[in-house]
């Protein structure tokens, strides 16, 4: 397994990184990935993945990066991901994911959140994400207002947040660095 193109292992042979970007990986994400307890980075972007994100990914306590963008994934972000205390990158843009964003309440260590161009609904939760650098939510069906917690983290306000996007016609956001154009059909 450690000789697969796109994989890296620790000296003890435990899988550390799976990076299958643009390798046209198809099918569903196997729940058996949860047996890779030393996995830190999961990149399955730009493939042909379908189905939902397995809740068992929340069992990967060392996981720091989940990058599943540009696939055809459906369903909600599993609430079980909230157990991923070390998760810093949640990159799920350009899929068909739906449901609300309440899982963000349980992921305070996130630095990069890319959820644009999906079918998420509801409001953007007010979460104090101390390390946040990028938060992109445009191209969804979200509503309400951008919480001022995020606005206060912008670089222009002395914080570290570089990019804050939303569909400003649906989500009131006078502090967004960019406004999207709404949900993509």
């Amino acid at each position: 397994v450690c000789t697969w193109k796109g994989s890296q292992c620790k000296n003890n042979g435990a899988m550390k990184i799976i990076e299958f970007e643009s390798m046209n990986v198809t099918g569903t994400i196997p729940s058996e990935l949860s047996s890779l307890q030393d996995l830190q980075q999961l990149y399955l972007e730009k493939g042909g993945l379908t189905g939902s994100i397995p809740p068992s990914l929340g069992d990967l306590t060392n996981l720091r990066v989940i990058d599943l963008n540009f696939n055809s994934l459906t369903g909600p972000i599993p609430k079980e991901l909230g157990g991923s205390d070390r998760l810093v990158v949640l990159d799920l843009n350009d899929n068909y994911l739906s449901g609300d964003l309440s899982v963000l309440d349980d992921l305070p260590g996130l630095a990069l959140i890319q959820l644009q161009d999906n079918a998420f609904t509801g409001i953007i939760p007010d979460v104090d994400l101390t390390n946040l650098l990028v938060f992109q939510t445009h191209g969804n069906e979200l509503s309400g207002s951008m919480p001022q917690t995020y606005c206060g983290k912008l670089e222009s306000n002395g914080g570290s947040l570089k990019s804050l996007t939303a569909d400003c016609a649906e989500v009131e956001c006078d502090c967004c660095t960019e406004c999207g154009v709404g949900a993509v059909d």
Side-chain angles (χ1 to χ4, degrees):
V1 174
C2 294
T3 58
W4 290 354
K5 180 180 179 183
S7 66
Q8 291 182 24
C9 295
K10 294 180 173 184
N11 290 339
N12 66 1
M15 183 72 67
K16 181 173 86 171
I17 298 172
I18 296 175
E19 187 170 359
F20 295 162
E21 178 181 352
S22 300
M23 292 182 150
N24 202 27
V25 175
T26 60
T28 59
I29 300 170
S31 60
E32 292 82 5
L33 283 177
S34 65
S35 66
L36 301 174
Q37 286 300 305
D38 290 315
L39 191 65
Q40 297 173 9
Q41 299 174 35
L42 178 62
Y43 299 93
L44 299 174
E45 58 189 312
K46 297 179 184 170
L49 293 172
T50 58
S52 60
I53 299 170
S56 58
L57 289 185
D59 296 336
L60 296 171
T61 57
N62 291 308
L63 200 57
R64 297 181 53 75
V65 175
I66 296 176
D67 190 344
L68 306 174
N69 63 3
F70 295 99
N71 280 290
S72 295
L73 297 170
T74 57
I77 301 172
K79 66 182 185 331
E80 290 82 0
L81 286 185
S84 305
D85 294 339
R86 295 185 178 153
L87 196 63
V88 285
V89 173
L90 185 62
D91 192 353
L92 304 175
N93 61 284
D94 292 274
N95 279 287
Y96 300 99
L97 296 168
S98 59
D100 64 34
L101 301 180
S102 60
V103 71
L104 297 181
D105 290 332
D106 299 320
L107 294 168
L110 288 174
L112 183 140
I113 305 170
Q114 291 190 164
L115 304 175
Q116 70 269 24
D117 298 324
N118 279 287
F120 292 115
T121 57
I123 62 168
I124 296 171
D126 191 356
V127 182
D128 187 13
L129 300 168
T130 309
N131 303 316
L132 194 58
L133 300 172
V134 174
F135 189 31
Q136 298 180 337
T137 64
H138 61 280
N140 283 288
E141 299 168 22
L142 298 166
S143 59
S145 299
M146 181 65 68
Q148 288 302 306
T149 306
Y150 302 112
C151 299
K153 293 188 180 310
L154 284 166
E155 285 181 323
S156 59
N157 293 327
S160 60
L161 184 56
K162 298 175 187 322
S163 175
L164 180 64
T165 68
D167 296 319
C168 300
E170 289 83 23
V171 175
E172 184 181 332
C173 187
D174 53 10
C175 67
C176 280
T177 57
E178 187 177 334
C179 290
V181 294
V184 177
D185 292 11

